[in-house]
Amino acid sequence: INYYGFPRGLCASPNEVALHGVPNTRPLEEGDIINFDVTVYLNGAFGDCSAMVCVGDVDPAARFLVDSTKQCLDEAVQLVGPGLKLNEIGHFCHDFARKRDLHVVSQFCGHFIGSELHMLPNVSHVPNSLALELRPGMTFTIEPIFVEGSAEITDALEDGWTILSKNGDWSAQWEHTVLVTEHGSEILTSC
């Protein structure tokens, strides 16, 4: 979609790349983990999702990171429904990570989505004060980024997009676009 000049059709973020990795010619290797983040624009609306892939046999810590991040997303989606306060998602994700000795990148977040890709309000994955009550019809992404060690990240690299964990710690991210329904939520993306 050439979003703000992003030079590829998807983000590919391996290992210590926390987000917005620009795909390149580096071959994936046994033991790598990588996030693929894809945005679609169809019939006037955006959809946004991402998923992790483990390349061959990965070490137990990397597998734990990937699986924990996915479990957090799945359980956060289950919380969504009318009456939930938006900031409860952030509190949940933060607590989920902390109980597993993982850390959440706080500088990037989910977002409301529709005719535009990134719409306000943002959906933080850490404790925050945005107590907006969810109502049927609201559509947004949940996309926590967990890091093994410190959640500190770098500024974008020379390509203007790729962001690394500051200490080289590995990261994982999963994302869905979620619709608030009358009785809960519906996942609008499939990864």
Side-chain angles (χ1 to χ4, degrees):
I1 62 173
N2 196 30
Y3 188 72
Y4 286 94
F6 187 79
R8 302 288 188 272
L10 59 80
C11 296
S13 303
N15 305 330
E16 75 282 357
V17 179
L19 69 156
H20 299 157
V22 177
N24 57 39
T25 58
R26 173 200 177 272
L28 295 175
E29 299 176 2
E30 180 89 11
D32 283 345
I33 61 173
I34 185 167
N35 175 268
F36 293 105
D37 191 337
V38 179
T39 298
V40 174
Y41 183 74
L42 180 66
N43 298 328
F46 284 94
D48 198 7
C49 66
S50 77
M52 295 296 299
V53 174
C54 294
V55 180
D57 289 325
V58 299
D59 70 51
R63 173 66 67 186
F64 179 75
L65 173 67
V66 169
D67 291 347
S68 295
T69 310
K70 175 71 163 87
Q71 183 181 358
C72 178
L73 172 63
D74 292 345
E75 291 184 20
V77 168
Q78 290 177 15
L79 295 174
V80 173
L84 183 81
K85 303 289 193 235
L86 187 60
N87 61 354
E88 292 179 54
I89 294 169
H91 289 280
F92 173 81
C93 292
H94 177 263
D95 290 346
F96 187 98
R98 191 185 59 193
K99 289 175 186 172
R100 288 155 181 81
D101 200 26
L102 298 170
H103 304 275
V104 183
V105 171
S106 62
Q107 297 92 325
F108 288 87
C109 54
H111 48 87
F112 274 58
I113 189 169
S115 60
E116 297 176 37
L117 177 57
H118 292 125
M119 300 168 62
L120 294 175
N122 290 326
V123 180
S124 181
H125 304 103
V126 295
N128 64 90
S129 61
L130 187 55
L132 173 71
E133 185 172 313
L134 299 183
R135 298 185 315 268
M138 291 178 164
T139 307
F140 54 89
T141 67
I142 302 174
E143 48 184 299
I145 303 170
F146 284 6
V147 183
E148 289 178 319
S150 167
E152 290 186 58
I153 55 175
T154 66
D155 292 331
L157 300 183
E158 290 178 14
D159 63 21
W161 290 97
T162 303
I163 296 174
L164 309 176
S165 67
K166 202 167 234 177
N167 294 335
D169 297 317
W170 282 20
S171 65
Q173 180 182 26
W174 290 86
E175 175 185 14
H176 275 307
T177 298
V178 180
L179 169 68
V180 180
T181 64
E182 292 290 335
H183 303 289
S185 66
E186 179 182 350
I187 297 172
L188 301 179
T189 50
S190 178
C191 293

